[in-house]
Amino acid sequence: MRRTIFELFAKSPFGPLQDHMAKIMECVRLIPDLFRAIEAGDDEQIRIITEKVEKAEFEADEIKNQIRGDLPSTIFTPVDRDDLVDILSFQDHISDVAEDVAVLYGMKKLPFPESIREPFWGFMEKVMLTVEQYARINQELDKLMQSSFGGAEAGRILEMISALSVLEHEADLKQMGLLRKLLSLEEELGALNIVLWMRIFQCVGDIANGAEKVGNRLRLFLSN
Amino acid sequence: MIGLDPWVLWVAVAACVYMAWNIGANDVANAMGTSVGSHAITLKQAVLLAAVFEFAGAFLVGGHVTDTVRKGIVSTDVFVGHPELFVLGMLSALLAAGVWLNLATYLGLPVSTTHSIIGAIVGFGLLVGGMSAVHWGKLGSVVLSWLISPVCGGLMGWLTFTYIKRTVLSRWNPVRAARSIVPILIFPVAMVLTLSMLYKGLKNLKLDVSLDKALLISLAVGTVSFLVLKVILNRKYSTRPRKRTDAFAQVERLFAYLQVGTACSVAFAHGANDVANAIGPFAAIVSVFRNGDLAMNVPVSLWILALGGMGIVVGLATWGHRVIETVGRKITSITPSRGFSAEFATATTVLVCSKMGLPISTSHTLVGSVIGVGVARGMAALNLKVILAIVNSWLITIPATAVVTVLIYLALKALAL
């Protein structure tokens, strides 16, 4: 059958881009659970959650590779193909840093002092709000495609991206407060533990940073 | 009388019906695939609409392109005194195009029936009559139309979709916008279709309508279509738009109404242009048999147009519906607003070319139109490698069919003379 002209219609990358983010959220949503287990000192639970995080991160990677494979340079997309590939790797970065949190904690059993728990949870909450905000933006991608990346739908997304930036800034502020508190515990924790906690908190903060970065990148879809 | 056995005529009938069958079996799917793919119409509706409008297009407007194929490419002057050579040549061209189509299908090349038949006719013209036998000017304009028609389709597809984007998709309430724009869009669709039927179309039925009369009637038909669709949409969708989340789904449902109209137009345009690929050479053969010489100034007989139209419908009924189903299932990414834009662009381009007697490829025009919609940011992902495959098939088809024609011609000549 001579129907090869219909090879013109290639697989849409937008649905898979949403699947990818869903998998990443599966990974990121485990991070608060991980800290609850750390708080409770439940080593078994920590191990189980760490494994789940690694599995979800691996699966997200697989989706990423699949999408990249479906986007050879002959594929013409309504948005710049390079931007699309960037969005994909920025999204992927979010699950990478989430995994780093679990991996870093696995290096050395760290004491979780009572006095940093409250500022920590305040920080964690803002980070999750930020990344959930991006996940909501990502959920709009199909509608953005249907509306052809313009008009009212694009306006809505721009507003959501602005809100995302505000949330990320708030998470930054919480992170500062948390670090200040952490550094005051030098006597109690020792320099090494403090450095490790700093790196872990940095990775938690990078989850929010990553969400903001990919949100800003998405703005490029909406221009013109 | 020419020194040819009547069996030559029967072989020609068979070859012509086979070619028409081929067009119905494969090419109609290319024309209707987008409508079924977007779920604007069901497979059954697609087959029914295609049957009616392909036949109508072939019967009413098919004559223009048929004339080009039968006497526009190869000059009959060089065959004066040897009409039998002309008959054998046209028969060889018909057979060669059929053979090449089968071969290309087997190889999976996106070959056009139009290009095959033109290549074949040029091949025989060159062999028998030499350089002077080919109307190079006419051939040049045909080849130029192969390049221009996809570009034209692309430009119109881009314009149409950009208009829809501006007036509907970008709005805060796209459903309400669609309810007022969709009836407006049926106007040009109905008008173009009616105009192409009436103007120089009904001549076959001895009802010659002048241009201004045809324009007036098409304007009326367009207006009536507008009013009918407006009433339907107001009655069916008078409720306030539901949740914003399914606003775009609802918009697409409204555009599905339009795609019924463009599906008819594409089928009509396809019948009008592509029937010539089957009956062009056949009509040439018949007129020689009937007149005993090369008097080609008589119009294409109605029964030949009907034969071509029937062949297409039979191809559609026996095999084409399956191809449409497969194609429709394969294209899931196209929605009615995009499908409408691409089909409107394709139908209009092909109809204009048909009226001008230019044999073009409907499929390639459709590819151009879809890419035009894509450039307006309407398609999720298009694989542009197809363009390369199409250009390749152009470069292969013309010499390949020419060579096959020469071989068949030499064989037939040895047999028949």
Side-chain angles (χ1 to χ4, degrees), chain A residues 166-184:
Chain A
V166 172
L167 285 168
E168 195 275 336
H169 178 63
E170 287 171 8
D172 265 355
L173 294 180
K174 294 276 183 190
Q175 190 177 1
M176 301 291 198
L178 174 63
L179 285 186
R180 233 173 262 126
K181 192 80 200 164
L182 179 70
L183 290 173
S184 71

Side-chain angles (χ1 to χ4, degrees), chain A residues 1-2 4 6-12 74-76 78-79 145-149 151-153 156 221 223-224, chain B residues 26-27 30 105 109-111 165 170 172 244 248 323 327 331 338 374 376-384 386:
Chain A
M1 267 176 268
R2 271 168 300 119
T4 24
F6 290 103
E7 275 162 29
L8 180 65
F9 295 94
K11 210 172 150 210
S12 164
T74 50
I75 296 287
F76 177 77
V79 295
M145 171 64 226
Q146 284 171 309
S147 74
S148 181
F149 302 91
E153 186 58 33
R156 261 162 53 82
F221 282 16
S223 54
N224 81 14
Chain B
N26 291 303
D27 291 6
N30 290 351
T105 303
L109 286 168
V111 161
K165 210 161 79 174
S170 298
W172 274 106
R244 202 193 145 69
F248 288 113
V323 188
V327 163
I331 337 169
R338 278 74 170 166
R377 303 179 105 190
M379 304 300 306
L382 296 176
N383 192 351
L384 299 185
V386 169

Side-chain angles (χ1 to χ4, degrees), chain A:
Chain A
M1 267 176 268
R2 271 168 300 119
R3 57 167 183 266
T4 24
I5 63 153
F6 290 103
E7 275 162 29
L8 180 65
F9 295 94
K11 210 172 150 210
S12 164
F14 296 99
L17 213 55
Q18 291 180 312
D19 297 342
H20 182 240
M21 195 57 207
K23 190 47 94 177
I24 284 163
M25 288 312 289
E26 205 179 302
C27 176
V28 169
R29 286 183 187 127
L30 287 165
I31 299 303
D33 293 345
L34 176 73
F35 281 96
R36 268 189 286 277
I38 291 171
E39 211 171 40
D42 186 343
D43 288 348
E44 178 60 14
Q45 190 64 16
I46 292 171
R47 196 183 57 76
I48 291 171
I49 293 173
T50 304
E51 268 172 22
K52 278 190 189 166
V53 168
E54 282 167 345
K55 186 167 170 274
E57 195 276 339
F58 177 73
E59 286 169 358
D61 260 358
E62 283 191 320
I63 299 177
K64 177 188 74 178
N65 292 333
Q66 174 73 46
I67 300 175
R68 281 215 181 130
D70 285 340
L71 278 177
S73 55
T74 50
I75 296 287
F76 177 77
T77 49
V79 295
D80 193 291
R81 191 183 144 274
D82 292 341
D83 289 340
L84 213 55
V85 172
D86 277 353
I87 294 268
L88 186 63
S89 54
F90 287 177
Q91 281 189 173
D92 206 60
H93 184 68
I94 298 174
S95 59
D96 285 346
V97 289
E99 190 193 22
D100 285 348
V101 172
V103 169
L104 275 171
Y105 186 82
M107 298 270 175
K108 181 174 185 289
K109 198 165 167 353
L110 291 168
F112 194 15
E114 206 62 60
S115 55
I116 61 166
R117 289 186 185 184
E118 201 206 304
F120 170 77
W121 284 114
F123 167 52
M124 187 78 235
E125 193 198 346
K126 283 293 177 197
V127 168
M128 289 310 289
L129 282 175
T130 311
V131 73
E132 294 282 0
Q133 173 73 6
Y134 173 69
R136 265 195 296 278
I137 294 171
N138 175 279
Q139 288 299 304
E140 297 280 317
L141 271 181
D142 54 340
K143 255 178 279 165
L144 198 57
M145 171 64 226
Q146 284 171 309
S147 74
S148 181
F149 302 91
E153 186 58 33
R156 261 162 53 82
I157 301 239
L158 276 176
E159 278 171 27
M160 290 172 87
I161 294 174
S162 300
L164 173 71
S165 295
V166 172
L167 285 168
E168 195 275 336
H169 178 63
E170 287 171 8
D172 265 355
L173 294 180
K174 294 276 183 190
Q175 190 177 1
M176 301 291 198
L178 174 63
L179 285 186
R180 233 173 262 126
K181 192 80 200 164
L182 179 70
L183 290 173
S184 71
L185 298 178
E186 197 186 345
E187 304 274 291
E188 186 191 327
L189 283 171
L192 178 63
N193 285 348
I194 286 189
V195 168
L196 271 173
W197 272 126
M198 275 179 72
R199 286 208 50 194
I200 289 171
F201 293 157
Q202 188 53 52
C203 286
V204 174
D206 280 346
I207 294 175
N209 288 336
E212 195 210 7
K213 206 171 153 198
V214 59
N216 276 331
R217 194 67 183 195
L218 210 66
R219 279 181 205 265
L220 289 179
F221 282 16
L222 310 175
S223 54
N224 81 14

Side-chain angles (χ1 to χ4, degrees), chain B residues 180-198 213-231 258 261 265 344:
Chain B
S180 55
I181 296 295
V182 162
I184 294 174
L185 285 173
I186 197 73
F187 182 83
V189 176
M191 208 184 126
V192 167
L193 186 57
T194 319
L195 188 62
S196 59
M197 278 186 194
L198 294 181
K213 218 174 186 178
L215 262 173
L216 218 65
I217 298 174
S218 342
L219 275 171
V221 172
T223 312
V224 169
S225 315
F226 163 77
L227 290 173
V228 167
L229 194 57
K230 192 138 188 90
V231 169
L258 287 177
S265 305
F344 178 60

